């Protein structure tokens, strides 16, 4: 098991946004999370990546427990330094890319592996060139993010995450900020990663893509997982009324 | 006094003016960062005291502050320190400018999009690494125009050192003008200030330009 989240509860003030959600990811799985906006998809990813602090439940990566809940019912996090170690297991691609605008494409990709993971410079640089080639951006190595299209920026963001050699990659609506033509080029990259058996969890509104690329689809609404299963059954034969309604709204 | 002697004497004063200028910048640019961190501390007492201090410094004339720094130790603690004149001037200028810079830094830091912090956090950057490598370089670019304004104001503010009878160019101009009953020293001082300011503005523009390589 790469990721195991159990009985996750998360409140914003008095608003409970995740109600007792359990969720796990196996090696090589590609999971799509779909659902209306405000249903807690981002909060789930942000909890998994420690950007949000959960109130109770447990989170383990590669069977290492990072968050646990004891008798008192409150979530306990391992120390900050230990959390930074756990962060090596995952990467996150944001809707808004969040590239570092003052660094070149190449620096964006190589800085963290060199400075944070303290890996060998030459190896990291070689791998970065290889990643850029894979993303179709070898000629953009020395450009700054502001000189790139949204689609190119998102591909750099994917390369930046991959350069850390994560075991699992999370995507939070990676194409929602992009025009349709640019969406396609990013989805292509994600698809090629799926073919290489990269473990991924993708929050998306691209239903055709989710259906084509994932092994498992999770439908969330109101902070609950309403339905989950293989894409053919969730998209082709949804059991829950709520899921049917949601999918129907995409058919127009 | 010949014009040549006048210019020579005042050039010496101009060097002391430039001394105040550069030492103030060297001291207050980093000190402003410290003040900003104190102001942004979660501890309410620390941030509260810092806020009050900043508002006092920004709400009172620098001239008054110079007098307090210089005469304060004597009137408050009955200690007199020899050769304290120049240090008192520097303390007054550095503390004053640090508070203005702190507010500029704070505005810059608070204008940074949260996504920059989050991207760094997910990549495993520590708080310090995030600030130094990701946030600060971008903040510098954002606040440079405001810093330029302050720096140009500082060129002119150095003349306040005359309050403590320090022989920078403005004090000298007053003295020589009185003893020689001549208007010339003021013209010379004006030219010195203007040329220096012009050079400072030129350098700042170059620095701003050097940061235009992104967005
Ligand atoms: N920082 C926050 N503070 C308060 N409420 C929040 C915050 N972030 C998200 N929420 C609320 O939590 C709920 C789930 O949001 P989110 O996880 O962003 O949903 P989704 O990604 O599915 O659109 C929404 O009701 C949203 O308003
Ligand atoms: Mg969202």
């Amino acid at each position: 098991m790469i990721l195991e989240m159990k009985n996750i509860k998360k409140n914003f003030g008095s608003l409970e946004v995740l109600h007792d959600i359990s969720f796990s990811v196996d090696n090589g799985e590609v999971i799509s999370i779909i659902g209306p906006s405000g249903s807690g998809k981002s909060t789930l990813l942000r909890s998994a990546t420690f950007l949000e602090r959960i109130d109770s439940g447990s989170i383990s990566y590669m069977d290492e427990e990072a968050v646990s809940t004891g008798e008192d019912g409150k979530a306990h996090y391992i120390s900050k330094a230990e959390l930074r170690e756990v962060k090596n297991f995952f990467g996150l691609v944001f809707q808004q890319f969040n590239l570092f605008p003052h660094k070149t494409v190449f620096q964006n990709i190589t800085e963290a592996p060199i400075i944070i993971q303290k890996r060998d410079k030459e190896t990291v640089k070689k791998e970065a060139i290889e990643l850029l080639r894979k993303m179709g951006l070898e000629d953009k190595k020395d450009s700054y993010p502001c000189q790139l299209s949204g689609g190119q920026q998102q591909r750099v963001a994917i390369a930046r995450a991959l350069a850390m050699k994560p075991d699992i990659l999370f995507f939070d609506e990676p194409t929602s900020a992009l025009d349709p033509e640019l969406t396609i080029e990013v989805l292509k990259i994600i698809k090629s990663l799926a073919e290489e058996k990269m473990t991924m969890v993708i929050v998306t509104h691209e239903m055709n893509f989710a259906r084509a690329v994932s092994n498992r689809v999770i439908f969330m609404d109101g902070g609950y997982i309403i339905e989950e299963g293989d894409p053919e059954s969730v998209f082709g034969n949804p059991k829950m009324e709520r899921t049917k309604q949601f999918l129907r709204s995409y058919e127009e | 006094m010949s014009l040549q002697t006048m210019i020579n004497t005042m050039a010496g004063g101009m060097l002391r003016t430039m001394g105040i200028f550069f030492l103030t910048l060297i001291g207050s640019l980093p000190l402003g960062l410290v003040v900003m961190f104190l102001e942004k501390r979660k501890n309410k007492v620390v941030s509260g005291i810092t806020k009050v201090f900043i508002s006092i410094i920004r709400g009172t004339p620098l001239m008054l502050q110079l007098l307090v720094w210089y005469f304060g130790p004597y009137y408050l603690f009955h200690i007199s320190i020899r050769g304290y004149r120049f240090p008192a001037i520097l303390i007054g200028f550095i503390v004053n400018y640090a508070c203005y810079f702190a507010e500029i830094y704070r505005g810059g830091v608070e204008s940074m999009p949260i996504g920059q912090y989050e991207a760094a956090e997910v990549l495993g950057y520590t708080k310090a690494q995030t600030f130094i490598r990701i946030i600060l370089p971008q903040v510098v670019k954002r606040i440079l125009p405001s810093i330029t304004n302050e720096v140009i104001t500082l060129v002119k503010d150095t003349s306040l050192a005359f309050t403590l009878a320090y022989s920078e160019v403005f004090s000298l101009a007053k003295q020589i003008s009185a003893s020689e009953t001549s208007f010339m020293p003021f013209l010379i001082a004006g030219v010195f200030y203007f040329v220096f300011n012009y050079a400072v503005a030129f350098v700042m523009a170059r620095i701003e330009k050097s940061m235009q390589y992104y967005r």
Side-chain angles (χ1 to χ4, degrees), chain A residues 150-247:
Chain A
Q152 291 169 330
Q153 290 191 45
Q154 192 59 300
R155 282 182 281 156
V156 174
I158 295 172
R160 177 175 72 176
L162 287 172
M164 304 291 281
K165 296 190 178 294
D167 295 282
I168 176 171
L169 199 48
F170 298 98
F171 295 81
D172 192 357
E173 303 198 22
T175 60
S176 294
L178 301 176
D179 298 337
E181 323 90 78
L182 303 181
T183 295
I184 293 169
E185 59 186 47
V186 171
L187 294 183
K188 253 194 217 151
I189 295 286
I190 301 177
K191 191 150 182 280
S192 73
L193 293 175
E195 280 155 11
E196 294 168 23
K197 295 282 170 243
M198 179 76 210
T199 310
M200 293 185 284
V201 177
I202 309 158
V203 172
T204 183
H205 291 297
E206 300 288 334
M207 296 304 154
N208 294 330
F209 169 77
R211 189 168 186 163
V213 83
S214 32
N215 321 108
R216 184 146 58 101
V217 177
I218 292 178
F219 171 63
M220 279 183 76
D221 192 15
Y224 294 97
I225 293 180
I226 305 287
E227 184 162 357
E228 71 176 291
D230 60 77
E232 285 320 304
S233 64
V234 173
F235 286 111
N237 187 19
K239 288 182 198 59
M240 308 300 287
E241 191 51 38
R242 191 65 198 87
T243 320
K244 288 178 196 165
Q245 263 179 22
F246 173 75
L247 291 174

Side-chain angles (χ1 to χ4, degrees), chain A residues 12 15 17 36-44 52 172-173:
Chain A
F12 286 114
L15 178 72
V17 172
S37 102
S39 56
K41 306 179 299 295
S42 294
T43 307
L44 183 63
E52 298 288 355
D172 192 357
E173 303 198 22

Side-chain angles (χ1 to χ4, degrees), chain B residues 135-190:
Chain B
I135 304 302
L136 189 59
Q138 297 183 60
V139 166
V140 168
K141 177 183 162 87
R142 283 174 188 229
I143 64 175
L144 215 50
S146 317
I147 296 285
T148 301
N149 280 339
E150 288 302 319
V151 170
I152 286 181
T153 307
L154 174 61
V155 172
K156 294 171 279 179
D157 271 359
T158 52
S159 62
L160 292 172
F162 92 93
T163 319
L164 300 187
Y166 182 67
S167 53
E168 42 68 62
V169 73
F170 181 70
S171 303
L172 285 179
K174 269 183 51 167
Q175 272 170 33
I176 300 172
S177 165
S179 61
E180 301 285 313
T181 56
S182 156
F183 188 62
M184 204 55 192
F186 291 130
L187 289 183
I188 297 170

Side-chain angles (χ1 to χ4, degrees), chain A residues 98-103 107-108 111-112 115-116 160, chain B residues 108-109 112-121 123-142 213-215:
Chain A
N98 294 341
L99 291 175
F100 303 132
H102 59 305
K103 295 181 188 293
Q107 289 165 341
N108 263 280
E111 182 171 283
I115 304 292
I116 309 297
R160 177 175 72 176
Chain B
V109 167
M112 286 296 295
I114 184 93
Q116 293 290 302
Y117 291 93
E118 293 186 341
E121 192 179 336
L123 290 168
Y125 286 68
T126 62
K127 277 224 166 78
Q129 286 169 326
T130 305
F131 187 77
I132 291 166
R133 294 181 169 275
I134 310 298
I135 304 302
L136 189 59
Q138 297 183 60
V139 166
V140 168
K141 177 183 162 87
R142 283 174 188 229
Y213 62 90
Y214 70 92
R215 190 189 43 203

